[in-house]
Every structure is written in structure tokens, then in C-alpha cells.
Amino acid sequence: MFDRIGRYWRVLATGISFLAFGIGGLLLRIAVFPLLQVVVWERAARVTVARAILRLTFRGFVGLMRGLGVLRYEFIGLEKLERGGLLILANHPSLIDTVFLMAFVKRADCIVKSHLWNNPFTRGPVRAAGYISNDSGEQLVEACIASLRAGNNLIIFPEGTRTPAGGAISLKRGAANIAVRGGRAVTPVLIDCQPPTLGKGDKWWRVPERFVQFRLEVKDDIEVGAFLGGDMSEVMAVRHLTDHLQQFFTGEYQGHA
């Protein structure tokens, strides 16, 4: 009986959390960021402030979910993310992986799906923060490299979407392309969520029978120099790096499952 009551509470608490997230996004759009537009005229400074506000907002959201008993989490190796200009790649088992990373990474930048630019709850924040839209075509890679060179920490989920329910990780080549063409090491973050929740195709109200434990571990950097030697073309380097990252994330994920 107590287990059933606990589960009902987590459904309610999850709903409260996402409602608060939506209301918060709307308030940022109609009140906070328009005021920021007036107060801070210089665009670069405005973007910096907007990203700091979003980071605190995401921290508040994670804290709310933790306080309501929806989840718990541990972040291992967080100090490795204190540097600047990092290309952070992570697996993507859950809907809120982005929230976790954006909440704890300073000067975070990310690639945003184009539909979020027109979503009434998200378009204000993502535009104010100057995130990179994924519909920028051939300019996408250059925009990512420019962000890294500016000292931002670029967060990318190289799967392009959440990991399927079966747990099979399949990486696209975009992230490796940025690493190779930008000459940037990869900082991998392994995200584990037990029991699985908010995965691809999951409804938010289908909560697990017990609270969820997130474990985020920052691994050592993967240097790209080994993939750029000799007469190897950039295309082949990207392919080899993608294969290496595929094996890395698959092996690490299975090792924690």
C-alpha cells in the first residue's frame, strides 16, 4: 500500500515539476528576458547573463525534483567541467539529461532543435541565450567551432535523440566532425538512469515503482590527435573517431548497466 501511495505521489510530483518548468519558461520569455533586453544593451553581455539565469533555473528544476522525491543524483568528476572551451559529449537515456548538464556546466552552449525556437515555453529562453539552432545547415559546424573558440562549453548528444528503450547507442558523425575540424578533445560524460525513466517514447506519468537515481560521470578527455595523423583525410578521421566514440559509450554504458 505504501509503495502504491509513493508511486502516486511521484506521478503528482513529476507533474508539478514539469508544470513549474513550463510556467518558468513562459515567465522568462514574457518578463525576465524582455527586461534583460532593455537593461543590457551589448549582445555578448546579454547572452552571458541569459545563460547564467538559465543555469540557475535548471538548477532550481533539478532541486525541485529532488526535493519532491522524484529523483536523486550524483555527479562524479564535476571539477573536470570547470575548464573552458570544452566539447562535452554525453549519451542520452532520459528527457532531462540536457537539464542536468546545463544546470551544472558554466558558460554552457548547446545545439537546439529548430521546433524549440517556436515553442511558446522555450523560444524566449533559447533565443535570449543565443544557443545554436540545428537548422543552420552547412553553417552548423562552423558555429559550433566558433562557440568553442570563444571559450564556451558546448554540450552535444551525438546520438541526436534519446537512446531507444533497448539501450542500443548509435552515434551520428556530427559531433566527431566538430572535434576533428575544430581540433578539439572530447570530454565524455556517461549518464546512467536507474530505473529507466523519461526515455524515448515514454509518457511522463509512467513513473517507475521507486524513485530514480541519476549518475553522471565525467570521463577523461579523448584527444583527437591520434585520429589526425599521417595522410588521413578529415572524412576518414571523422569516421574513425565516431567508431571509437561508439565503442566507448557502448562499452561504458553496458559496464554500468
Side-chain angles (χ1 to χ4, degrees):
M1 178 179 177
F2 289 108
D3 290 341
R4 182 177 298 177
I5 293 174
R7 189 171 186 179
Y8 288 156
W9 166 251
R10 287 193 300 278
V11 172
L12 177 60
T14 301
I16 293 172
S17 299
F18 282 115
L19 178 62
F21 187 86
I23 293 174
L26 191 59
L27 289 175
L28 288 175
R29 177 195 167 193
I30 65 178
V32 176
F33 290 132
L35 179 61
L36 184 64
Q37 188 88 11
V38 174
V39 175
V40 184
W41 290 3
E42 203 274 317
R43 185 181 183 279
R46 190 166 62 246
V47 166
T48 299
V49 174
R51 290 180 179 180
I53 292 173
L54 286 175
R55 181 169 177 263
L56 292 175
T57 301
F58 289 143
R59 285 288 285 269
F61 177 71
V62 171
L64 176 63
M65 296 193 81
R66 184 176 187 175
L68 291 175
V70 175
L71 56 81
R72 296 179 184 173
Y73 66 87
E74 60 175 336
F75 215 131
I76 302 169
L78 182 60
E79 68 281 356
K80 297 177 184 178
L81 302 182
E82 293 293 327
R83 299 166 292 167
L86 299 177
L87 177 56
I88 301 170
L89 305 187
N91 60 312
H92 201 0
S94 170
L95 177 66
I96 58 175
D97 302 329
T98 306
V99 174
F100 268 109
L101 289 177
M102 298 295 285
F104 288 94
V105 176
K106 297 177 181 178
R107 297 197 65 180
D109 197 359
C110 65
I111 300 173
V112 177
K113 292 183 178 179
S114 57
H115 71 85
L116 294 178
W117 284 77
N118 299 312
N119 184 298
F121 297 103
T122 58
R123 67 185 183 186
V126 299
R127 292 182 183 188
Y131 295 142
I132 302 169
S133 174
N134 71 344
D135 66 352
S136 51
E138 296 180 357
Q139 307 301 319
L140 178 60
V141 173
E142 293 303 324
C144 290
I145 294 174
S147 180
L148 291 167
R149 288 175 177 168
N152 297 315
N153 293 317
L154 182 62
I155 299 170
I156 297 179
F157 297 95
E159 295 172 85
T161 185
R162 279 172 282 172
T163 308
I169 295 175
S170 179
L171 270 57
K172 302 183 184 303
R173 295 182 182 177
N177 197 16
I178 295 168
V180 169
R181 289 178 57 182
R184 292 281 171 166
V186 169
T187 303
V189 177
L190 182 69
I191 303 175
D192 186 41
C193 173
Q194 298 297 332
T197 188
L198 298 174
K200 190 173 184 179
D202 287 349
K203 305 299 184 182
W204 68 264
W205 60 83
R206 292 179 179 172
V207 302
E209 295 183 358
R210 60 181 177 85
F211 69 84
V212 176
Q213 175 73 41
F214 276 85
R215 184 178 188 273
L216 300 92
E217 183 176 1
V218 185
K219 297 290 188 175
D220 292 335
D221 289 353
I222 298 174
E223 300 293 339
V224 298
F227 303 91
L228 296 172
D231 297 326
M232 183 177 297
S233 66
E234 283 189 349
V235 173
M236 290 302 299
V238 168
R239 181 178 300 176
H240 289 167
L241 178 56
T242 301
D243 291 342
H244 178 80
L245 292 171
Q246 172 80 41
Q247 295 173 12
F248 175 86
F249 277 108
T250 300
E252 291 290 339
Y253 185 81
Q254 291 176 346
H256 285 85

